[in-house]
Amino acid sequence: MERLVYFNGKMVPEEEVKISVFDIGFMYGATFMEAVRTFNHEYFKLYEHLDRLDKTIRYVGLDTLVSKKEMEDIFNMVLEKNIHLTDKDDDCWVCANITPGVGFPHPLMKQKDLTPTIVVYSVGLPHKEYVKYYTEGRPAVTPIIRNIPPQCMDPRCKTRSRLHYFIAKREALEKDSESFTLLLDINGNITESSGSNFFIVSNGILYTSTPHNILNGISRQTVIELARELSMPVHERDISLYDAYNADEAFFTTTSYCILPISKINNIKVGKQIPGDLTKKLLDLWSKKVGVDIVGQAQKFARVE
């Protein structure tokens, strides 16, 4: 069975997707992206993801690049054409990458063709990469490199320009081969991981990093909504390493695994059990809301990857 990819107006086999070496996304890292997962083969918060993508494109001054309705149609087409590749009890990711198109081999030359490059593809969820951390917790390491200050680039703009993430991940993995990175801002406060948001629980209160210097994740917002349903107080504020080391629980949130407990930060143990009581309540409620045992699904399909 062959996976089909949306590429500039057509559904084609993935091996036929070929992008010019002069594409601005390749030349300048100007690639705008979203990744949406399914539950029971239906998108979870597709419109929220599309809205964020639309705002990203508007922020960089390319609001005519592609419309939200066009992207909705493309996402639905890709899922329809490829969902048969996913087990009926499993789910998938659908990821979009958009660039301003083919540009100029030299920065002094003007871009002649204003046609964007749009690639949207589906892929299986990488359950095996994270499944054990639901019960063991994943360690986190703070690297030397800092997150990009919001004075330079608004972090709500979701792009593939992630060299700082790449360097941070390499440094973290050298210190602990099991770890996720946890970036600080220039003032020493915790921001986010390279692809996920960060929460701690202290004395029954949920804290998450202030939104001015992080990507405001869809999963992050979902956790805040779930916490309020559980009458759990939530505060968005600066979080120091001191706060994190002394927390009762800590966890990451992102589209694929939803919520993943943190076992230790810089080799300092966080909390007394994995997952913590409130972390488990949030993950259980999320599972109930979407009609999928999130942890059970990962455990089942990690074995067959």
Side-chain angles (χ1 to χ4, degrees), residues 33-34 49-57 71 98:
M33 57 88 62
E34 277 296 333
H49 282 277
L50 292 174
D51 187 59
R52 184 170 64 181
L53 178 61
D54 188 63
K55 289 176 178 176
T56 290
I57 293 171
M71 289 308 302
I98 303 169

Side-chain angles (χ1 to χ4, degrees), residues 3 5-10 14 17-20 23-26 29-36 43 46 49-50 52-54 56-57 60 62 65-67 70-72 74-75 78 93-102 115-123 157-162:
R3 188 182 315 279
V5 173
Y6 177 92
F7 178 55
N8 292 346
K10 297 184 291 185
E14 58 183 287
V17 177
K18 294 179 174 60
I19 298 174
S20 169
D23 192 284
I24 297 173
F26 178 76
T31 303
F32 321 111
M33 57 88 62
E34 277 296 333
V36 190
Y43 283 124
L46 174 63
H49 282 277
L50 292 174
R52 184 170 64 181
L53 178 61
D54 188 63
T56 290
I57 293 171
V60 299
L62 296 170
L65 203 60
V66 61
S67 73
E70 286 177 279
M71 289 308 302
E72 179 184 355
I74 293 168
F75 265 92
V78 170
W93 255 340
V94 177
C95 306
N97 292 289
I98 303 169
T99 84
V102 176
T115 304
T117 297
I118 303 176
V119 180
V120 185
Y121 60 90
S122 67
V123 65
C157 177
K158 188 165 186 177
T159 77
R160 290 287 190 192
S161 300
R162 296 181 169 191

Side-chain angles (χ1 to χ4, degrees), residues 275-292:
D277 288 339
L278 295 185
T279 303
K280 187 175 187 305
K281 285 182 181 179
L282 289 165
L283 193 48
D284 287 347
L285 181 56
W286 196 330
S287 293
K288 182 179 178 181
K289 288 279 186 183
V290 297
V292 171

Side-chain angles (χ1 to χ4, degrees), residues 30-253:
T31 303
F32 321 111
M33 57 88 62
E34 277 296 333
V36 190
R37 73 158 285 168
T38 65
F39 289 109
N40 289 316
H41 292 196
E42 294 185 1
Y43 283 124
F44 180 67
K45 295 195 171 182
L46 174 63
Y47 299 118
E48 287 87 339
H49 282 277
L50 292 174
D51 187 59
R52 184 170 64 181
L53 178 61
D54 188 63
K55 289 176 178 176
T56 290
I57 293 171
R58 183 175 297 273
Y59 171 71
V60 299
L62 296 170
D63 51 299
T64 60
L65 203 60
V66 61
S67 73
K68 195 186 302 186
K69 182 62 170 66
E70 286 177 279
M71 289 308 302
E72 179 184 355
D73 291 343
I74 293 168
F75 265 92
N76 286 330
M77 184 192 311
V78 170
L79 185 62
E80 179 186 350
K81 295 294 185 182
N82 292 290
I83 195 61
H84 65 282
L85 301 173
T86 304
D87 188 280
K88 64 181 179 63
D89 295 321
D90 199 6
D91 281 290
C92 67
W93 255 340
V94 177
C95 306
N97 292 289
I98 303 169
T99 84
V102 176
F104 27 86
H106 191 285
L108 295 180
M109 296 173 64
K110 292 182 179 179
Q111 183 183 5
K112 296 178 181 179
D113 184 358
L114 300 179
T115 304
T117 297
I118 303 176
V119 180
V120 185
Y121 60 90
S122 67
V123 65
L125 291 165
H127 300 298
K128 194 172 182 179
E129 294 296 316
Y130 52 74
V131 64
K132 70 176 183 176
Y133 302 117
Y134 284 119
T135 53
E136 296 180 11
R138 186 145 200 179
V141 170
T142 56
I144 293 173
I145 194 167
R146 299 299 173 97
N147 215 345
I148 296 175
Q151 294 90 339
C152 301
M153 171 71 74
D154 195 307
R156 290 173 294 180
C157 177
K158 188 165 186 177
T159 77
R160 290 287 190 192
S161 300
R162 296 181 169 191
L163 180 58
H164 61 302
Y165 281 176
F166 177 76
I167 296 170
K169 287 170 68 174
R170 286 177 59 84
E171 182 184 336
L173 290 172
E174 285 177 3
K175 294 179 178 178
D176 186 334
S177 62
E178 296 279 327
S179 71
F180 274 170
T181 187
L182 191 58
L183 287 91
L184 307 179
D185 65 15
I186 57 175
N187 297 311
N189 295 307
I190 295 171
T191 59
E192 58 197 347
S193 180
S194 54
S196 57
N197 290 126
F198 175 75
F199 285 81
I200 62 172
V201 178
S202 291
N203 298 318
I205 300 174
L206 190 63
Y207 298 94
T208 186
S209 305
T210 182
H212 82 274
N213 60 0
I214 61 170
L215 177 72
N216 192 3
I218 307 301
S219 299
R220 175 184 181 275
Q221 189 58 42
T222 299
V223 166
I224 292 172
E225 293 166 4
L226 295 173
R228 288 172 177 159
E229 284 194 42
L230 294 169
S231 299
M232 188 185 302
V234 183
H235 296 294
E236 298 174 299
R237 62 165 229 196
D238 287 335
I239 299 174
S240 68
L241 284 172
Y242 178 93
D243 299 324
Y245 293 157
N246 288 286
D248 300 316
E249 307 172 34
F251 57 85
F252 295 115
T253 63

